[in-house]
Amino acid sequence: MTGQNKENDGSTNHWWGDFDLHSGTWARWTIGPTEFLARSLSNEWRFAWKSSRDMLSEQVGFEDQVDIDPAETMYTLRRYALEDMGDRLRLIPRLANRAVVVRPETPLFLPPNQRATLYVSTGVWISIEPAIDSPEPLFEIPIYRSSDTWFGPSTIDGELCYNSVTSARTDARLLAQVPHRAFTPIDISNNGEDALEIEFLRVPVTLLSLYAGSSGRLWTDQVTFEREQGESSASLRITSHDALESATEMKLSEPRETKSAGIVHSFSKIFNKAS
């Protein structure tokens, strides 16, 4: 991985950081299913990207000079005119811009008065900005565009979210390492009188920070859900990431929305999906 600065020296599968590019030539990043191109010209950035259908692709790579004409293939193209731009580009991973509804591959049941930690994964986005003092990124793109889904107790009371299928592991040692997905530890306490079926779960990723561990695996803050007696309400808390790789943990991006110390929702706004 040439073209990267000291913050991203290519010793791991990191695809983010600052990249020094050659003016006038295309640079190419391969990040899971997405191929992203960038080219600096006089007072102008040009970008192109396309994604495959392989959501779980683990490919990661960077080429600082490629001979390609994205206008001749199936790329999305975009141009930005800047007065002061330079030849350095910054790529930053970010969590999605909406909550994500995760669905375990197999329904999971939590008996009464039990507590469990699930590890679910959600797709991340790329924030692109010139590596100069800039208050806002140029734009963002999802590495893999998840489908839309409605989540809530009815088709009137709810919100538009992204949909994601996850293995929902209970053992962190079994987690895969997919470079474009972030893992969220979710602590669930069932104080109800019957078993809690976790068929759908709304993950408030817009309230979470994003981190990288030493291996390059992406993590978020921990989310805690507590089901009260009955099904009238459930509390939600967000706590700082309890890093499994804390020795070299690095924060990559802040939450999109302000965090709250404790949020109480109706039960259906956390665990139930409208039919």
Side-chain angles (χ1 to χ4, degrees), residues 134-226:
S134 176
E136 298 291 338
L138 296 177
F139 63 104
E140 297 180 352
I141 58 171
I143 296 178
Y144 184 86
R145 177 63 165 82
S146 300
S147 60
D148 296 329
T149 188
W150 185 260
F151 187 84
S154 71
T155 55
I156 298 175
D157 183 11
E159 65 179 311
L160 188 63
C161 300
Y162 294 116
N163 186 60
S164 179
V165 177
T166 179
S167 56
R169 300 291 189 187
T170 56
D171 186 343
R173 294 171 298 181
L174 300 179
L175 298 178
Q177 181 160 320
V178 184
H180 59 281
R181 295 184 69 82
F183 289 93
T184 300
I186 299 182
D187 190 75
I188 302 176
S189 295
N190 181 15
N191 299 323
E193 298 178 353
D194 57 354
L196 172 62
E197 180 181 4
I198 306 171
E199 185 178 5
F200 298 99
L201 184 63
R202 175 188 178 276
V203 183
V205 296
T206 59
L207 300 177
L208 307 180
S209 296
L210 182 63
Y211 307 82
S214 58
S215 67
R217 184 181 282 128
L218 299 174
W219 292 94
T220 77
D221 292 322
Q222 178 171 301
V223 177
T224 298
F225 292 121
E226 186 170 355

Side-chain angles (χ1 to χ4, degrees), residues 47-61:
F47 302 101
W49 63 92
K50 65 178 180 179
S51 295
S52 71
R53 296 176 180 267
D54 186 5
M55 180 180 68
L56 297 180
S57 172
E58 299 180 6
Q59 295 186 77
V60 178

Side-chain angles (χ1 to χ4, degrees), residues 187 189 191 223-228 233-237 262-267 270-271:
D187 190 75
S189 295
N191 299 323
V223 177
T224 298
F225 292 121
E226 186 170 355
R227 179 197 188 190
E228 309 299 338
S233 64
S235 63
L236 179 157
R237 296 194 312 275
I263 305 171
V264 177
H265 285 301
S266 66
F267 181 84
I270 293 178
F271 294 104

